[in-house]
Amino acid sequence: LPPSVKVYVASAPVDMRRSFDGLSALVREAMGADPFSGHLFVFHGRSGDRAKILFWDRSGFVLWYKRLEEGKFRFPSGDAASVEIEAAELALLLEGIDLAGAKRRKRWVPGKGVMGG
């Protein structure tokens, strides 16, 4: 994903029977975000073994749905309606990896260091 695309994970479980309109309403009302932004909005059910990702691709909504046959996803949580994660973290999460145990190594951030030598 390009760096301009953000990934938001709903903090609370949702009714996984919701589809395009119901999830886009949750994005607007509960998360306070624009469902037409092109960002990814990740939802999960109470059981923890299912995930839905809603996004707008400039011509319509796309809904991606995954169910684990064994185990559960370990979704991040927080006090806000949603938690922002990076695309790499989403990939790990969808593989069933618990992000709480993952460690991020030090990395360069534009504008925070001096280039060259």
Side-chain angles (χ1 to χ4, degrees):
L1 294 173
S4 59
V5 175
K6 296 180 179 180
V7 180
Y8 297 99
V9 179
S11 295
V14 302
D15 182 349
M16 294 305 281
R17 295 174 293 181
R18 288 185 182 242
S19 191
F20 301 99
D21 296 330
L23 293 174
S24 64
L26 280 175
V27 170
R28 272 191 314 277
E29 297 163 10
M31 298 170 122
D34 178 10
F36 300 102
S37 64
H39 300 313
L40 276 61
F41 300 95
V42 182
F43 301 93
H44 56 91
R46 196 168 306 283
S47 65
D49 66 343
R50 296 160 198 252
K52 283 187 177 182
I53 302 174
L54 178 74
F55 65 96
W56 177 261
D57 76 350
R58 297 191 310 183
S59 63
F61 281 113
V62 177
L63 189 60
W64 187 85
Y65 190 24
K66 182 172 184 175
R67 178 185 73 195
L68 291 177
E69 293 302 318
E70 287 189 31
K72 296 181 182 221
F73 293 111
R74 299 288 183 230
F75 293 97
S77 61
D79 295 333
S82 64
V83 176
E84 185 177 348
I85 63 172
E86 295 185 12
E89 292 171 317
L90 176 62
L92 293 172
L93 190 146
L94 293 174
E95 285 298 318
I97 296 171
D98 186 352
L99 297 178
K103 292 184 182 180
R104 178 173 299 284
R105 301 287 182 212
K106 186 176 179 180
R107 60 185 178 165
W108 179 78
V109 178
K112 288 206 167 208
V114 179
M115 291 181 56

